[in-house]
């Protein structure tokens, strides 16, 4: 069975090879996906849980657990979607560890590390509202920087990519705020 997207994927793969991305295109994009999700979801979980008026320690532990579970979930989805897509296209790799597991693991590591970074303001700033605001602002700045970096390295549109990533992160944070507020009512 021939899937129509196989030819398009070969064209995209050759274009990716010419961009000379660090760690290779697949691993670079996996790291960026982890950065994007880690920052935005980490901030969203923190802000959403803060509406429950939890003790700071319970809030930190709950946020860390949510972040780890979500990071592992993202990595599992990355692994299975890449693997199954290649399987359907008839291009399944003979080295699944290198092609599927390593990028998924890198995404998890980036997600986990960057999410913990989002917890720092909550751990250091005594005022919970100032800590949440700082977490959100730092998150949006870092998302813009990551999007800009991606656009720059891929020779695309760094300013647009930075704005898009920042706006998507703001949307994820807004979902956390609204969910926390609604559940607190």
């Amino acid at each position: 069975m021939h899937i129509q997207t196989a030819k398009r994927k070969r064209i995209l793969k050759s274009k990716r090879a010419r961009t000379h991305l660090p760690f290779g295109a697949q691993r670079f994009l996996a790291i960026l996906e982890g950065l994007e999700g880690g920052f935005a979801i980490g901030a969203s979980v923190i802000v959403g849980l803060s509406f429950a008026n939890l003790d700071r320690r319970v809030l930190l532990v709950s946020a860390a657990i949510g972040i780890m579970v979500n990071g592992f979930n993202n990595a599992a989805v990355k692994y299975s979607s890449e693997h199954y897509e290649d399987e359907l296209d008839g291009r399944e790799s003979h080295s699944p560890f290198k092609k599927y597991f390593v990028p998924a693991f890198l995404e998890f590591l980036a997600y986990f590390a960057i999410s913990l970074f989002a917890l720092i303001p909550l751990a250091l700033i005594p005022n919970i509202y100032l800590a949440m605001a700082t977490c959100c602002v730092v998150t949006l700045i870092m998302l813009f920087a990551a999007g800009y970096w991606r656009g720059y390295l891929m020779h695309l549109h760094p300013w647009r990519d930075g704005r898009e990533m920042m706006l998507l992160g703001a949307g994820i944070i807004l979902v956390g705020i609204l969910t926390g507020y609604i559940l607190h009512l």
Side-chain angles (χ1 to χ4, degrees):
M1 173 180 201
H2 177 67
I3 305 288
Q4 187 66 24
T5 61
K7 181 178 178 183
R8 183 171 173 257
K9 280 191 157 209
R10 281 193 296 273
I11 293 168
L12 291 174
K13 188 175 181 180
S14 68
K15 182 178 179 180
R16 286 183 198 150
R18 291 190 304 264
T19 58
H20 305 291
L21 297 173
F23 316 113
Q26 190 176 20
R27 291 180 180 150
F28 173 75
L29 293 173
I31 290 170
L32 273 175
E33 288 171 15
L35 291 175
E36 294 169 21
F39 262 129
I41 293 173
S44 181
V45 167
I46 291 167
V47 173
L49 285 173
S50 67
F51 282 95
N53 295 324
L54 300 172
D55 174 65
R56 184 179 296 270
R57 186 167 181 250
V58 173
L59 179 60
L60 281 167
V61 170
S62 300
I65 290 169
I67 288 166
M68 288 179 64
V69 168
N70 202 25
F72 185 79
N73 179 60
N74 283 2
V77 167
K78 172 97 175 147
Y79 175 88
S80 61
S81 65
E82 293 286 331
H83 183 233
Y84 298 142
E85 190 174 323
D86 282 354
E87 220 175 19
L88 285 171
D89 287 347
R91 299 180 302 119
E92 186 176 12
S93 176
H94 294 294
S95 56
F97 181 82
K98 182 179 176 186
K99 181 146 187 201
Y100 309 118
F101 180 78
V102 170
F105 184 68
L106 288 173
E107 182 173 338
F108 173 75
L109 287 179
Y111 187 99
F112 182 69
I114 220 66
S115 292
L116 289 180
F117 186 76
L119 292 173
I120 291 173
L122 189 61
L124 298 179
I125 300 173
N127 182 318
I128 191 92
Y129 299 108
L130 181 59
M132 288 185 314
T134 303
C135 176
C136 292
V137 168
V138 168
T139 294
L140 294 175
I141 291 169
M142 295 303 290
L143 284 171
F144 178 83
Y148 185 91
W149 182 53
R150 178 185 63 195
Y152 175 79
L153 288 176
M154 295 177 75
H155 309 291
L156 296 172
H157 309 283
W159 289 102
R160 183 190 72 193
D161 290 351
R163 280 191 314 270
E164 285 176 356
M165 193 179 296
M166 185 177 71
L167 288 172
L168 289 171
I172 293 169
I173 292 170
L174 184 61
V175 167
I177 291 170
L178 292 174
T179 304
Y181 178 74
I182 290 168
L183 292 177
H184 179 67
L185 293 177

